[in-house]
Amino acid sequence: RARFAPRASAGAGDVAGALFSTDKRPIILFDGVCNLCNGGVNLALDLDPPGKLRFAALQSDAGRALLARAGRDPSDISSIVLVEEHGAYVKSDAVLRIATYLENPALPAAAALGMFFPEQLRDAVYDLVAANRYELLGMKDECRLGDDRFDDRFVADAPNRGE
């Protein structure tokens, strides 16, 4: 279920609007220093050859603005977030929604099946993995930098709001 806070800050809305004004592709917000998260980004890049998805680190200016627009604390890097033009998904809902965009035919089917499990159960499993993600696969000193093949897939900074 997509959600936005009813009153996200105007600045965040401006930035998010600018991010979606010419490019309607959804943006996956991920923990840029988490090796598990970066592995997930690499998998999504491999399974999304047409480039339906974009990516931004939760720690980036764009990531913080999109978190605020989604009604989340801009400093909260505890969950993956999928931001679409008119909604946002977090935790297990985000993972399942992302799977529907990927090219492997088993993933959308698995996502549909995953929706039969109660959100509380799915999120409890998600929270357990998320809380231990650095212990599981470690962390990097800096956020992932995209290579040239994927430059148009990574949103590095929030667009200028006419300042």
Side-chain angles (χ1 to χ4, degrees):
R1 222 157 319 116
R3 48 193 120 146
F4 273 137
R7 296 176 197 220
S9 73
D14 293 346
V15 169
L19 287 169
F20 287 103
S21 67
T22 58
D23 190 339
K24 305 298 185 198
R25 293 179 295 170
I27 301 170
I28 298 172
L29 303 178
F30 67 99
D31 181 349
V33 298
C34 167
N35 286 333
L36 177 65
C37 307
N38 279 291
V41 168
N42 289 333
L43 180 66
L45 286 167
D46 289 343
L47 295 176
D48 180 24
K52 295 183 236 173
L53 296 166
R54 294 182 287 165
F55 305 87
L58 288 158
Q59 297 90 338
S60 70
D61 290 341
R64 288 191 297 272
L66 288 166
L67 282 170
R69 179 179 185 245
R72 297 182 64 79
D73 179 342
S75 64
D76 181 4
I77 63 167
S78 67
S79 175
I80 189 171
V81 180
L82 176 67
V83 183
E84 295 177 340
E85 185 177 16
H86 300 292
Y89 301 82
V90 297
K91 298 186 179 190
S92 64
D93 283 341
V95 172
L96 294 174
R97 180 74 174 177
I98 290 165
T100 67
Y101 284 98
L102 302 177
E103 294 291 306
N104 183 319
L107 291 174
L113 230 111
M115 293 306 288
F116 284 108
F117 292 93
E119 182 179 11
Q120 280 186 308
L121 176 62
R122 288 186 282 117
D123 282 350
V125 172
Y126 179 93
D127 288 340
L128 181 64
V129 173
N132 294 291
R133 67 188 183 273
Y134 298 137
E135 288 80 16
L136 291 170
L137 291 176
M139 59 190 295
K140 297 178 181 238
D141 292 333
E142 57 188 38
C143 292
R144 171 191 165 86
L145 297 173
D147 66 33
D148 293 348
R149 297 174 298 153
F150 303 114
D151 278 350
D152 73 320
R153 307 283 300 280
F154 287 89
V155 178
D157 293 311
N160 187 335
R161 296 186 305 256
E163 297 167 354

